[in-house]
Amino acid sequence: MAVAMDSLHALVAGPVATFTATRPARPTIPSLMPALTSGPGWPFLIELSSTQLKGSTDRSTHTNLTLRTQILALSLFGFCGVPARSMEMPGPNIGIRLPISEAADRIFVQIPEDTDTPRAWVGQIIEDKQGFLWFGTRDGLDRYDGYQFRHYPADPSDERSLSSAYVYALRNDASGRIWIGADNFLNYFDPSTETFHRFSAPPSMLGGFIKSIDLDREGTLWFSTSHGLTRYDPADGKLTRYQHDPNSPSTLGSNLLRSTLEAKDGTFWVATNLSVEAFD
């Protein structure tokens, strides 16, 4: 199966090319179905791709096949078991009807507009421990309880409100606090007191636009910013900053961070604007 998938990927991912098959007549899907349904479809697919698709300039005795269309059509019919259709394989615009299961169960319902809640743009959505949904917008923070919204605007002069209206990053931690990346500022919301707090850190430890906030399995918070990556341990309040050093290949490839992710195997991945790296 691995060999078949590699061959399929190599054939489909490449540029569209025109090949010719050695068959004297134009095959149809029904004529190919016995070969596909009598056994696994992938061996037949590999045989076709490796031995039957050959370059040729004799158009009178060979059929021109568009490679990408043929491989996709054969893989879908051979692997998914789709009923045969009376359509010919050659041609640039082949339509394939695929069954869609449970399509009726997926219904999108628009939330009624609330004139008191500006939702021109939503950057991120999270759910807190109480089941509330939080929406980060360019006009502040919105909380949705399933019936109505509550809007939290920004007021730079009020220490108990958001530092900036541009909320791009959201993350809740193990204690239930909601961490908020509001432009270049870091805030957190305490649900027990319904108040915002402004997190202060030296510019050498945290600075730049906050693109993402992530939490690892140990409860450590990671802030991806436009000026590097900052690690924060809530247990002891320690901050550690990681930045790109052009003289050291073991540092970040760029200071413009996008996001981070801890995989199930414990690998910590870091995405920058230039690369994806494993952090040790």
Side-chain angles (χ1 to χ4, degrees):
M1 177 65 73
V3 175
M5 288 298 293
D6 292 342
S7 300
L8 176 62
H9 177 74
L11 289 169
V12 177
V16 176
T18 301
F19 286 75
T20 58
T22 57
R23 296 179 183 271
R26 306 182 79 181
T28 62
I29 291 298
S31 68
L32 296 177
M33 285 304 294
L36 293 173
T37 57
S38 61
W42 292 116
F44 177 78
L45 176 62
I46 296 305
E47 179 185 358
L48 177 63
S49 63
S50 61
T51 64
Q52 293 181 347
L53 292 177
K54 300 180 182 295
S56 175
T57 57
D58 187 0
R59 294 174 180 259
S60 62
T61 59
H62 298 81
T63 303
N64 287 328
L65 303 177
T66 301
L67 177 60
R68 183 173 295 175
T69 303
Q70 300 307 321
I71 298 303
L72 289 176
L74 288 173
S75 63
L76 288 170
F77 274 81
F79 186 72
C80 300
V82 180
R85 302 286 179 182
S86 59
M87 61 181 181
E88 293 185 350
M89 292 178 64
N93 298 317
I94 294 179
I96 299 177
R97 296 176 62 87
L98 298 177
I100 301 177
S101 61
E102 299 182 358
D105 297 338
R106 304 295 184 260
I107 301 176
F108 293 88
V109 180
Q110 184 176 3
I111 298 175
E113 285 288 340
D114 185 349
T115 56
D116 295 332
T117 304
R119 296 193 304 276
W121 177 91
V122 176
Q124 196 166 22
I125 307 172
I126 65 168
E127 182 180 8
D128 65 17
K129 290 187 174 182
Q130 297 175 302
F132 293 114
L133 293 177
W134 294 81
F135 299 83
T137 79
R138 289 176 178 169
D139 300 300
L141 191 62
D142 291 344
R143 187 182 74 179
Y144 185 61
D145 62 5
Y147 299 96
Q148 59 185 358
F149 281 91
R150 178 177 178 180
H151 182 61
Y152 297 89
D155 185 355
S157 63
D158 185 358
E159 292 289 333
R160 296 173 298 177
S161 71
L162 290 170
S163 300
S164 172
Y166 192 177
V167 178
Y168 194 88
L170 292 173
R171 180 72 190 195
N172 40 3
D173 64 14
S175 68
R177 290 177 175 178
I178 299 175
W179 292 83
I180 306 151
D183 206 342
N184 292 356
F185 304 97
L186 180 63
N187 302 158
Y188 66 86
F189 179 80
D190 187 348
S192 62
T193 60
E194 292 276 326
T195 55
F196 291 90
H197 300 266
R198 299 182 179 184
F199 186 85
S200 59
S204 59
M205 290 289 103
L206 180 65
F209 184 83
I210 300 175
K211 294 281 293 184
S212 174
I213 304 174
D214 293 289
L215 185 75
D216 65 22
R217 65 186 63 182
E218 296 180 356
T220 302
L221 287 162
W222 296 83
F223 308 113
S224 300
T225 78
S226 58
H227 292 168
L229 179 66
T230 297
R231 177 182 184 272
Y232 173 64
D233 188 350
D236 57 14
K238 183 180 179 180
L239 286 166
T240 307
R241 194 174 198 182
Y242 304 92
Q243 290 184 302
H244 170 67
D245 183 353
N247 299 318
S248 177
S250 62
T251 61
L252 289 170
S254 170
N255 281 330
L256 185 55
L257 273 290
R258 299 295 190 190
S259 63
T260 60
L261 172 70
E262 184 180 27
K264 290 183 179 180
D265 62 0
T267 304
F268 193 78
W269 295 95
V270 180
T272 74
N273 66 319
L274 298 177
S275 61
V276 177
E277 306 164 3
F279 180 80
D280 187 1

